[in-house]
Amino acid sequence: DQQVKQNSPSLSVQEGRISILNCDYTNSMFDYFLWYKKYPAEGPTFLISISSIKDKNEDGRFTVFLNKSAKHLSLHIVPSQPGDSAVYFCAARDYAGGTSYGKLTFGQGTILTVHP
Amino acid sequence: GAVVSQHPSRVICKSGTSVKIECRSLDFQATTMFWYRQFPKKSLMLMATSNEGSKATYEQGVEKDKFLINHASLTLSTLTVTSAHPEDSSFYICSASPRARGANEKLFFGSGTQLSVL
């Protein structure tokens, strides 16, 4: 049962254009959503996050949008740069209190390639 | 930012041997650490939650006798893959969050360990 889904395994974008990565979830108890960037043979690095009480969070070139009614979130990168090429994981937290605050459910990842 | 160190980064071993992977939080205390596993081109799957001073909590389908977790201090958790077999070959990643609740949304990850069992 895949509670967090990234239906696009890959995305190719021209440098300077916008990259839009999508993520869908099924668990309505998720209260926090995060995006991680990952290079091969490395651990994920935190990129940006959003609380379920918000619908938008922006940090420089990165913006995350959350549509709770559709159980959908997206990451926008603009302008895209070749250095953004990596695997992007969407993750969600189901806060059940106690020590579960760090328990994340990840999507399958989307490989972003930004061409010069 | 907070740093999580994971060692070794890569290990190749013979079938039947045991492998220990260390995860350290370098500049913060972590009462809880998490161990994930990633198969090629797949998502990161949570294996277990490591709790300092108590037994680890394993996710469904993960053999606790196969994957031994010890969280002896607030800065160190270890994962031991016992009697490793080729099907255990995978990328293992640990993560931790600073003890302060306010920082919990930024779960920090180690660099991962690529285990190859021959």
Side-chain angles (χ1 to χ4, degrees):
Chain A
D1 178 26
Q2 189 76 28
Q3 296 188 56
V4 178
K5 295 182 181 179
Q6 293 174 256
N7 293 315
S8 298
S10 63
L11 175 67
S12 183
V13 173
Q14 201 70 29
E15 180 179 8
R17 307 293 288 267
I18 185 171
S19 295
I20 300 177
L21 298 104
N22 294 302
C23 179
D24 297 293
Y25 63 95
T26 57
N27 188 343
S28 58
M29 296 303 291
F30 287 144
D31 71 326
Y32 211 90
F33 303 90
L34 309 91
W35 284 93
Y36 284 85
K37 180 179 179 180
K38 185 181 181 300
Y39 294 109
E42 292 185 9
T45 55
F46 172 78
L47 201 57
I48 193 170
S49 62
I50 187 167
S51 166
S52 60
I53 63 174
K54 296 185 177 181
D55 55 17
K56 178 182 175 181
N57 187 27
E58 190 173 353
D59 183 3
R61 296 187 298 116
F62 303 92
T63 303
V64 55
F65 295 92
L66 174 63
N67 183 333
K68 282 189 67 177
S69 60
K71 293 189 174 66
H72 176 84
L73 65 155
S74 61
L75 173 68
H76 293 211
I77 306 173
V78 56
S80 301
Q81 299 173 354
D84 296 329
S85 298
V87 180
Y88 288 78
F89 286 96
C90 166
R93 184 186 73 185
D94 175 4
Y95 183 70
T99 58
S100 66
Y101 57 82
K103 180 177 176 179
L104 299 178
T105 301
F106 284 83
Q108 309 96 310
T110 297
I111 301 171
L112 173 65
T113 304
V114 181
H115 298 283
Chain B
V3 177
V4 175
S5 173
Q6 187 172 342
H7 179 81
S9 59
R10 186 176 184 89
V11 59
I12 301 172
C13 69
K14 292 182 179 180
S15 184
T17 60
S18 293
V19 176
K20 180 185 282 188
I21 303 170
E22 291 188 350
C23 181
R24 294 180 185 272
S25 55
L26 297 185
D27 53 1
F28 65 95
Q29 293 182 325
T31 54
T32 306
M33 292 184 176
F34 304 88
W35 288 95
Y36 289 82
R37 181 176 182 176
Q38 185 186 24
F39 292 102
K41 299 183 180 180
K42 297 291 184 182
S43 179
L44 288 87
M45 299 296 295
L46 179 66
M47 296 174 63
T49 302
S50 172
N51 305 299
E52 188 267 335
S54 63
K55 292 182 179 180
T57 304
Y58 291 82
E59 296 300 302
Q60 191 173 12
V62 178
E63 300 176 59
K64 61 180 181 180
D65 295 329
K66 173 69 152 176
F67 300 99
L68 299 179
I69 291 174
N70 183 278
H71 195 149
S73 75
L74 287 171
T75 59
L76 173 64
S77 175
T78 60
L79 168 69
T80 301
V81 183
T82 62
S83 186
H85 290 284
E87 58 266 29
D88 298 323
S89 299
S90 189
F91 191 59
Y92 294 87
I93 311 175
C94 70
S95 67
S97 183
R99 202 173 184 181
R101 286 283 301 275
N104 64 17
E105 64 270 19
K106 292 185 180 180
L107 196 63
F108 296 98
F109 285 82
S111 55
T113 298
Q114 182 65 53
L115 172 63
S116 299
V117 184
L118 305 177

